[in-house]
Amino acid sequence: MITHDIQISADLSECTDIQTLRETVARFQRIFSSSGYGFWEWDLRTQNIDWSGGFWERLGYSKEEEKHINNANNVWEYIHPDDHQASRDSLYEHFHSKNPFSSFYRVRMKNGDYIWTQVRADSVRDENGRVLIMSGVSFDVTALKQAEEALRESEARQERIIQSSNDGIWEWYAKKGGFHFSSRCWELIGYNANDDEITRGEDKLVVWRKHIHPQDLEKFDQALADHMAGKGPFDLEYRLIGKDKQLHWVRGRGRASFNAEGKPIRMSGANMDMTQIKLAEERVIQAKVAAEKANQAKSEFLSSMSHELRTPLNAILGYAQLFEYDLNLTQQQMVNVREIRKAGDHLLQLINDVLDLAKIESGKMTVSLEPVLVSRIISEAFTLVQTQADARSIRLYATTNNLESHYVIADNVRYKQAVINLLSNAIKYNNMGGEVEVKLQTHDKLLRLIVRDNGKGIPANRQAEVFQPFNRLNAEFSKVEGSGVGLVITKQLVEMMNGCLDFYSKEDVGTEFWIDLPLATEWNQQQTEIIKSVGFTPTQLEFKQHKKVLYIEDNPTNIRLLQQFFDRHSCLSLDIAEEPFIGIYKARSNQPDLIILDINLPGMDGFEALNVLKNDPSTKHIPVVGLSANAMPYDIERGIKSGFFEYLTKPVDMNKLIETLNRVFIQ
């Protein structure tokens, strides 16, 4: 009975173990099936592979197709052809080395795509070490491979960028110690990475610092130390002495990474070759200095030329203005005097034009826009070029088309200058006995002034060169005089007045140049004529008290001019000092009511003399008027800032002189 009970107990225990085993197997089957991994066992004796885990099902294959895959000889059909050899080599190595098997290869899905698979396995061997059964797992590593491929592509892209930038790369790691410089860093200063200078075992940063220019070494060390301390970026331009003993400019930029304690753990950066850029900058600076010197020389020349021409003009225009005060002149004599003055004014205007050209080139030219009567511009321009036209028997005429009373918004002087230039060119480059016509037209609220000639015209293949400076289209080989800048200046002047200059030309027919400017509201022509004629009416003194004037001037012609002017006014007396020291003595001794002071004087210039007078308690109260042929804009500005009551320029305008005397003596 006892034996029977023991047997029943044993049977029950065995049933329990079987049930537990079944549950365990079922659990593992569920795990395998849901994992997506391929659990397999390959019996090399039968070449049968037992698969679990739903690996092939995930790839889209049916149960029937899996039967085909269970044959080990058929598995190769599903492995990418490019991976066959590597997989076979891995198997061969495993069979002979007894090391665990590991391999990567691509497996074809049902739809024809491939996934990357990693396989890990080990084997059961017989007493001779031959593999009998191989068991392992296959799992999808496509995402990992894609990430690796993206990383490789990113690294390759970075490498291409670095190579194309031609920059040198350097790195520092706190754990490794020392700097690493790429071979390109050394190539920037003429070394090869295998040169003894580079490979003899010294710390690379020490070698690099030895090549930094002594004047830049301190700022290099400071910039690096500041960045390592977290005080700012590392971005520095500095010089290195290369293998060729020449200076090489480098721009070093880098960024450090810091740990949680704020200590640097690594730093990476790049060195950009700046040598050619610095050489180009140096050439630009040298060219700028040369241009400034040339510009200064030009300014000095223009100033000197202006002074030398204004001095004789002072006599011409001064005496012409004195005649206007002479009531004994006949009407014809007065007309002649005014013609002299008009010609002198034109010559003075030409001098001013030369100065204006310098302003245009320097960008300092300004225009004063106002309504300008176009017919008057044409008339005045005709008067000034008539002699030139007569010399070539060229007929000048205007076709105004009933637009003679129309005004445009322009600068009167610049507009006339532009028209004169076009007329002068039309005459110079015309045929002997030809004609020049000025026509007026309106369109789109613009008035067009056309200057037409019937000369040789401009060849079609040279018309694009018309507005090029100093390009005279081969006219420099003819007898026609010119500089080649007139049209360039004219175009700039017109555009400054918000206008447009253009042309049309046909060979052997002639050329038309035109200026388009905005129309202005019509003005009463008669009133404008009256206003314009006021310029020839002498201004009168507005005081009666007697005043003493001291004139410090060394030019006899200028002295005689002012003496004759003062002789005509009984309320004025003029004392002369031909040297500044004598003038200062007379100012102290005689206490004049006004001093007129030239600038270019022997022994002491006018500015120095003015300084003496203003610092002397006995003369500092006396107003001083500057009168000089130094008429450059900076001369006038300097004169006003220096303390002159007024700064007048030669040729002296008698009306302005009288206006100044009125302002000085009528307080």
Side-chain angles (χ1 to χ4, degrees), residues 253-315:
R253 288 177 290 182
R255 177 177 293 180
S257 298
F258 301 86
N259 60 18
E261 289 77 32
K263 295 182 179 180
I265 56 176
R266 72 177 66 88
M267 184 175 179
S268 302
N271 288 337
M272 177 189 295
D273 186 1
M274 299 284 290
T275 305
Q276 293 303 318
I277 294 175
K278 288 296 183 179
L279 290 175
E281 288 179 356
E282 185 176 348
R283 289 193 295 269
V284 170
I285 292 172
Q286 291 175 349
K288 181 175 180 290
V289 171
E292 288 174 348
K293 288 182 178 179
N295 192 53
Q296 179 63 28
K298 181 183 70 176
S299 297
E300 291 174 358
F301 165 75
L302 291 174
S303 178
S304 175
M305 180 272 296
S306 173
H307 180 273
E308 295 303 320
L309 291 178
R310 286 173 184 274
T311 299
L313 266 179
N314 187 48

Side-chain angles (χ1 to χ4, degrees), residues 21 60 64 95 99 111 157 160 235 249 274 291 324 343 398 504 516 566 599 627 630:
L21 179 61
E64 288 298 319
F95 290 158
N99 293 327
N111 61 8
R157 182 166 58 252
R160 290 193 299 271
D235 190 342
W249 277 93
M274 299 284 290
E324 293 176 11
Y504 168 79
D516 287 342
F566 276 77
I599 299 300
L627 178 58
N630 293 351

Side-chain angles (χ1 to χ4, degrees), residues 377-410:
I377 293 293
I378 297 172
S379 176
E380 293 177 358
F382 274 13
T383 300
L384 293 171
V385 301
Q386 188 63 58
T387 303
Q388 182 185 2
D390 292 342
R392 295 180 55 81
S393 301
I394 290 176
R395 174 176 170 245
L396 289 176
Y397 66 98
T399 305
T400 59
N401 295 320
N402 297 321
L403 300 173
E404 56 273 3
S405 61
H406 280 56
Y407 289 76
V408 294
I409 300 299

Side-chain angles (χ1 to χ4, degrees), residues 422-463:
L422 295 182
L423 286 171
S424 178
N425 283 349
I427 294 169
K428 284 194 300 184
Y429 298 106
N430 207 337
N431 297 314
M432 186 70 71
E435 65 178 28
V436 173
E437 178 189 16
V438 175
K439 295 187 293 185
L440 296 181
Q441 298 175 356
T442 58
H443 65 98
D444 297 331
K445 297 182 180 180
L446 298 173
L447 188 142
R448 173 170 292 184
L449 185 150
I450 303 170
V451 177
R452 181 191 64 81
D453 66 61
N454 61 346
K456 297 179 180 179
I458 303 170
N461 62 342
R462 303 297 302 273
Q463 291 184 10

Side-chain angles (χ1 to χ4, degrees), residues 114-129:
Y114 283 87
I115 65 166
W116 276 99
T117 303
Q118 182 178 6
V119 179
R120 293 179 182 176
D122 212 339
S123 300
V124 176
R125 301 171 186 262
D126 62 15
E127 63 276 8
N128 297 319

Side-chain angles (χ1 to χ4, degrees), residues 20 104 225 636:
T20 300
F104 289 90
I636 298 172

Side-chain angles (χ1 to χ4, degrees), residues 39-43 48-52 124 133-136:
F39 299 96
W40 51 268
E41 189 171 79
W42 176 18
D43 188 338
N48 183 69
I49 301 177
D50 184 19
W51 292 88
S52 301
V124 176
I133 297 174
M134 192 172 176
S135 302

